[in-house]
Amino acid sequence: MFKKYKKYLIAFIISLTLGYGASYFWDIYHYLPFQKKEIHIFFETHATAPALSQIIEFSKLPKETKKIIGWSRFPNRGQVFDLDEYNTVEIPVVKNQPFANLINLTTTVLDEISETPSAAIVIHASFDKVATSVKPLLSFIPKQRIKAIHLYEDGYGDVLKWNDAVSNETTLFMDTLKQETAELLEPENKNIWLIRNVFGLRYFYPVTYHFLKASQFKNIKRLQSIFTKFNDLNLVETNFYTLAQTLTPEQKKIVFKLSGFDYEKYKNLMLNKKSIMFVTGFHFGFKPYMDAEIKVLSLLKENKLENFKLENPQDYVWFFKPHPAYDEIYKEEVIKKTFPDIIEIPPEVPFEVFILAGLKPTLTAGFSSSLFFSLNKEDILFYAKRPQYNTSPMAMLDDHYLAALSTDGIVSNEQVIFYEHFFEKPSSTPTEQ
């Protein structure tokens, strides 16, 4: 039926263009029911997880699809990847320069979308950063051009650690949520976006939410009452074991290249071999914790760590993965000097890429991290509980990862250790300073 009247529709559009101007033409064009070219915008200025998820989605797109990328964890991709071949423009992202990054984002996107006014826009961003990444784009991209918005967790498993203190079920379904979110979308409104407002965004745009283990939410007691009511939520599960099977070899090569993962190197080191990954933490500069971490690794390497002794530890290939916060260089240097046989994983390389590559470590041990949500209980040697650092409201929270990991049976009480027990001498803890 559409094909039959297509020529008349085109004639009608042309007449509108001549009569009312090009802007009216594009207003109508984006509502017409046929496939349009797309421009995908990928942007993340802080966290690793949403950047990795965006890289995975990037890998699935046809080469000819226009793409705009900007990832602080993975900057200057043009130096390691042929952006032109994949029709990609890179946004300059400067570490710890949010205003400069915002300017670079908006100017780059505006230039690119202006060149192709017929293209539909797809935005990829962090669930936690709608106010700083998505809202600025919505302020100048016409609503009718937005085909989709994809939001990814700031850390894998973030939803799994929700509790009543973080998100009260009733606020997610409040009668005023639509109006409240509409007010937040106004350019002059600088109020903070809360979890309910990010979900409220779906009232105005086609939003897809990407969460680890999303298919299990309705079976998890603390989440089921929330997600059984989200009947209209477009929810997609992030599952690295499934992705390891479904991504094509070419797509994996793209993911490895963009995330800085040297597949051949680690395949030669790990394939068909037993391995241990020691994960270090960010301790806000508290030296007792940094020293305790090194002591624990020493005991583990010497097979003297009580309750966690290994059978034939010499048969394992040893790795350590520093926290991606780059101001922990002191600890990295000490570990390299103390343990010259341990292989360092570059801090920016996401742990989950090892699962995608089919190279998951035999055992993983170390400091509180979201990466444990992607592991099974038998994959974990031990988990070091996060202390309550007296540095910021978030840092003073109890270990929000461990609460969920324990409840869901991923980490048992027997697998938990405390770095305070390995201090060299009595020392005040962060909450006492």
Side-chain angles (χ1 to χ4, degrees), residues 298-315:
S298 296
L299 292 171
L300 183 62
K301 280 280 291 167
E302 296 166 8
N303 213 23
K304 296 179 180 178
L305 187 60
E306 189 175 352
N307 301 323
F308 299 104
K309 294 182 179 179
L310 301 166
E311 184 177 351
N312 300 321
Q314 70 277 3
D315 294 342

Side-chain angles (χ1 to χ4, degrees), residues 209-224:
Y209 302 88
H210 299 254
F211 298 137
L212 190 77
K213 300 183 179 179
S215 65
Q216 302 177 29
F217 288 171
K218 292 183 180 180
N219 299 320
I220 297 174
K221 186 175 180 180
R222 64 186 179 279
L223 299 176
Q224 60 187 192

Side-chain angles (χ1 to χ4, degrees), residues 13-22 24:
I13 293 171
I14 292 173
S15 67
L16 282 177
T17 303
L18 296 174
Y20 297 99
Y24 289 94

Side-chain angles (χ1 to χ4, degrees), residues 81-130:
F81 189 81
D82 190 344
L83 299 180
D84 290 337
E85 182 182 355
Y86 288 83
N87 198 15
T88 301
V89 173
E90 186 167 19
I91 303 166
V93 178
V94 185
K95 185 184 176 185
N96 298 326
Q97 295 291 330
F99 183 73
N101 291 330
L102 180 59
I103 295 297
N104 292 338
L105 167 68
T106 54
T107 54
T108 304
V109 169
L110 187 58
D111 287 345
E112 294 301 322
I113 69 172
S114 298
E115 289 182 4
T116 315
S118 61
I121 309 300
V122 180
I123 299 172
H124 302 259
S126 166
F127 181 93
D128 284 7
K129 300 184 181 67
V130 168

Side-chain angles (χ1 to χ4, degrees), residues 106-373:
T106 54
T107 54
T108 304
V109 169
L110 187 58
D111 287 345
E112 294 301 322
I113 69 172
S114 298
E115 289 182 4
T116 315
S118 61
I121 309 300
V122 180
I123 299 172
H124 302 259
S126 166
F127 181 93
D128 284 7
K129 300 184 181 67
V130 168
T132 56
S133 296
V134 178
K135 180 180 173 180
L137 298 177
L138 301 181
S139 66
F140 66 85
I141 300 176
K143 185 176 181 179
Q144 64 271 20
R145 290 193 68 176
I146 305 292
K147 179 179 180 179
I149 297 174
H150 293 269
L151 299 178
Y152 309 89
E153 290 174 287
D154 210 57
Y156 296 118
D158 273 359
V159 175
L160 296 170
K161 66 179 192 256
W162 284 2
N163 53 41
D164 290 341
V166 176
S167 171
N168 186 292
E169 171 195 350
T170 58
T171 67
L172 298 174
F173 306 96
M174 55 195 291
D175 294 337
T176 58
L177 178 57
K178 185 174 183 179
Q179 179 59 36
E180 181 182 272
T181 307
E183 292 171 358
L184 283 173
L185 283 167
E186 293 294 328
E188 66 277 4
N189 191 328
K190 306 300 181 184
N191 291 340
I192 295 174
W193 283 67
L194 302 175
I195 290 173
R196 65 173 181 266
N197 306 124
V198 181
F199 282 127
L201 188 66
R202 76 189 192 280
Y203 292 128
F204 305 95
Y205 294 92
V207 183
T208 300
Y209 302 88
H210 299 254
F211 298 137
L212 190 77
K213 300 183 179 179
S215 65
Q216 302 177 29
F217 288 171
K218 292 183 180 180
N219 299 320
I220 297 174
K221 186 175 180 180
R222 64 186 179 279
L223 299 176
Q224 60 187 192
S225 61
I226 294 175
F227 284 94
T228 51
K229 293 182 181 180
F230 269 138
N231 297 321
D232 65 331
L233 201 67
N234 191 7
L235 200 61
V236 172
E237 177 166 273
T238 302
N239 187 314
F240 293 100
Y241 299 93
T242 300
L243 287 166
Q245 301 300 317
T246 57
L247 289 178
T248 68
E250 180 60 32
Q251 289 168 342
K252 287 183 180 180
K253 286 181 182 179
I254 295 171
V255 173
F256 297 157
K257 198 74 171 177
L258 288 174
S259 64
F261 180 74
D262 189 338
Y263 172 72
E264 291 299 325
K265 171 184 175 179
Y266 295 112
K267 182 183 74 170
N268 292 333
L269 288 168
M270 302 177 74
L271 192 62
N272 300 322
K273 299 175 185 176
K274 294 194 294 186
S275 59
I276 292 181
M277 182 87 72
F278 185 80
V279 181
T280 66
F282 177 71
H283 302 294
F284 298 90
F286 288 106
K287 193 173 183 295
Y289 283 92
M290 299 164 73
D291 292 342
E293 193 163 59
I294 294 172
K295 184 175 182 179
V296 168
L297 180 54
S298 296
L299 292 171
L300 183 62
K301 280 280 291 167
E302 296 166 8
N303 213 23
K304 296 179 180 178
L305 187 60
E306 189 175 352
N307 301 323
F308 299 104
K309 294 182 179 179
L310 301 166
E311 184 177 351
N312 300 321
Q314 70 277 3
D315 294 342
Y316 288 83
V317 182
W318 290 74
F319 299 88
F320 83 92
K321 186 180 187 319
H323 190 279
Y326 294 103
D327 53 355
E328 289 268 16
I329 300 300
Y330 155 75
K331 185 170 58 186
E332 292 179 34
E333 290 177 345
V334 169
I335 291 177
K336 290 175 187 176
K337 182 177 179 179
T338 309
F339 312 102
D341 60 326
I342 292 183
I343 301 160
E344 178 189 2
I345 307 299
E348 66 275 8
V349 171
F351 176 88
E352 293 78 8
V353 175
F354 286 88
I355 300 175
L356 288 180
L359 299 173
K360 180 176 67 174
T362 309
L363 293 170
T364 298
F367 191 71
S368 166
S369 168
S370 62
L371 66 85
F372 287 95
F373 284 108

Side-chain angles (χ1 to χ4, degrees), residues 42-72:
F42 299 93
F43 189 67
E44 171 55 43
T45 60
H46 178 70
T48 300
L52 175 59
S53 290
Q54 291 175 32
I55 286 173
I56 292 170
E57 295 306 311
F58 177 103
S59 76
K60 300 176 184 178
L61 294 173
K63 284 186 177 182
E64 61 271 16
T65 298
K66 185 71 176 180
K67 310 166 194 74
I68 304 171
I69 64 170
W71 302 306
S72 66

